[in-house]
Amino acid sequence: MRATPTSPRLEQVTPDNVEAACELRVRPDQEHLVEPVARSLAEAYAWGEIAWPRLVYDGDELVGFLMGFFRIQWRPDDPTDLRSGLWRLNIAADRQGRGYGRFAVRAVAEEARRRGETRIYTTWEPGEDGPEEFYRRLGFRLTGESSGGQTVGALEL
């Protein structure tokens, strides 16, 4: 019997899947580049409606976690600079390179567009081992800004 191909989909974090979400791990060489899912979920709780945490499933398999942000005050000195984008992206170590990260970024972009946004932002750790090339391939351009020591990129929708 042939396996039916599946497509990735988003699911909300629930009591039934939160433990699996917290166990999701990126590759060991990437752990310094992204926060663990448990920390992201704590931040999602603290930020309420601004945070948009979602799990990425392929069939019944949890393959990733993303967290979008919507209309957050970007700079403390400018209450009019409200931005939306991708806050976190964790793809399971053994599931990378299969398009799940691209799917996650597109999902955040679609949600931002649905909310009336025309651009999304993300940040990443600079350096040769960082994800800059991944984001650049998806169309993010450097803004020349930094946030918390991270590089800021923007994607026009």
Side-chain angles (χ1 to χ4, degrees):
M1 182 186 297
R2 292 181 86 182
T4 305
T6 59
S7 296
R9 70 179 191 288
L10 296 183
E11 296 286 337
Q12 291 188 3
V13 180
T14 68
D16 292 332
N17 61 25
V18 69
E19 189 172 332
C22 290
E23 292 173 3
L24 184 78
R25 298 288 181 268
V26 297
R27 294 189 332 240
D29 64 308
Q30 297 170 327
E31 290 175 350
H32 70 286
L33 299 171
V34 68
E35 296 294 340
V37 173
R39 179 181 172 124
S40 295
L41 291 175
E43 289 174 335
Y45 176 82
W47 284 93
E49 294 299 314
I50 289 173
W52 192 68
R54 295 293 185 270
L55 300 176
V56 179
Y57 278 88
D58 193 349
D60 292 333
E61 182 183 8
L62 174 62
V63 297
F65 169 83
L66 68 85
M67 188 159 70
F69 63 92
F70 296 100
R71 312 273 307 150
I72 195 170
Q73 184 177 334
W74 190 259
R75 293 185 317 230
D77 64 333
D78 185 355
T80 65
D81 187 4
L82 302 176
R83 300 186 189 185
S84 299
L86 178 67
W87 192 345
R88 297 280 163 67
L89 178 59
N90 303 57
I91 301 298
D94 60 347
R95 295 296 177 248
Q96 294 181 16
R98 298 180 185 191
Y100 299 123
R102 183 173 51 251
F103 167 81
V105 172
R106 286 182 180 154
V108 171
E110 288 172 17
E111 180 65 16
R113 197 176 294 114
R114 187 185 74 74
R115 294 178 185 223
E117 301 296 326
T118 59
R119 176 183 305 119
I120 61 171
Y121 294 85
T122 196
T123 63
W124 59 81
E125 289 289 331
E128 288 183 27
D129 62 343
E132 181 171 331
E133 286 307 310
F134 167 75
Y135 289 117
R136 303 274 310 243
R137 280 193 309 271
L138 293 177
F140 282 88
R141 63 170 174 69
L142 300 175
T143 65
E145 301 168 291
S146 66
S147 177
Q150 294 189 334
T151 301
V152 178
L155 176 66
E156 301 297 325
L157 302 179

